[in-house]
Amino acid sequence: MMPERMGRRRPSWDAYYIEMAVLVASRSTCPRRHVGAVLVKDGRVIASGYNGAVRGQPHCDEVGCLIVGGHCMRAVHAELNAVIQCAWEGVSSRGATCYATDFPCVTCAKGLVQAGISRVIYLADYPDPHSAKVLEEAGVPILRAQVMADGTYDLAKEDQTH
């Protein structure tokens, strides 16, 4: 819930970080899906990522998607890009929360578990039946955020499908 302050509503930390993930998604370069992820540890943003091409390579929005088996092979997913940013900068992601615009695919779910992510908060479903199982078996809590009637974000009141 967002407390009232002098006539304005201040977002919860979870709402604040999921909104940051939405902003990060605006940088996505794959036209098929715009996804953003923000990793937060001890109340600080430690990394962000969006789906886009490998560093130095052409982007989907420049040369088109490279589709194999219904998936774009050119784009690195947002969650994986955030974890890689931690590695690049020498920052531990162990114990961080991943705020993502979309539920992670199974490959990203495995990467998040291996990187020590302790919680996943997502906004929209992703059609991968295996990713929830990977996170659940690793003991990673999964929470869904939702868009409220006033356009702000908050955590959903009950469990929802992934």
Side-chain angles (χ1 to χ4, degrees):
M1 273 309 189
M2 295 179 22
E4 293 287 336
R5 289 221 166 114
M6 303 287 287
R8 74 174 182 91
R9 295 175 64 116
R10 186 175 185 200
S12 69
W13 286 112
D14 288 329
Y16 176 73
Y17 295 129
I18 201 72
E19 192 161 354
M20 288 179 81
V22 170
L23 179 61
V24 170
S26 70
R27 294 275 309 149
S28 293
T29 60
C30 184
R32 296 184 50 166
R33 187 179 290 263
H34 289 206
V35 181
V38 175
L39 301 184
V40 177
K41 183 176 178 179
D42 300 327
R44 304 276 183 230
V45 174
I46 60 170
S48 64
Y50 54 86
N51 55 333
V54 173
R55 181 178 277 113
Q57 300 296 311
H59 292 280
C60 297
D61 60 5
E62 298 169 339
V63 296
C65 295
L66 177 61
I67 305 298
V68 177
H71 298 281
C72 181
M73 297 292 113
R74 188 176 313 284
V76 178
H77 288 188
E79 303 91 334
L80 190 54
N81 263 327
V83 167
I84 292 167
Q85 184 182 9
C86 283
W88 181 272
E89 297 294 335
V91 175
S92 174
S93 57
R94 183 181 298 142
T97 295
C98 177
Y99 293 86
T101 57
D102 292 49
F103 195 79
C105 70
V106 70
T107 301
C108 287
K110 291 187 286 186
L112 294 172
V113 169
Q114 290 298 89
I117 298 302
S118 63
R119 186 170 70 142
V120 172
I121 298 178
Y122 72 100
L123 191 56
D125 289 327
Y126 183 80
D128 188 327
H130 306 291
S131 54
K133 185 174 182 179
V134 168
L135 294 167
E136 289 164 356
E137 287 181 349
V140 177
I142 303 165
L143 300 165
R144 183 171 185 162
Q146 62 185 359
V147 180
M148 307 304 286
D150 63 0
T152 61
Y153 300 93
D154 205 352
L155 294 184
K157 300 297 182 222
E158 56 188 54
D159 287 340
Q160 301 189 11
T161 60
H162 312 297

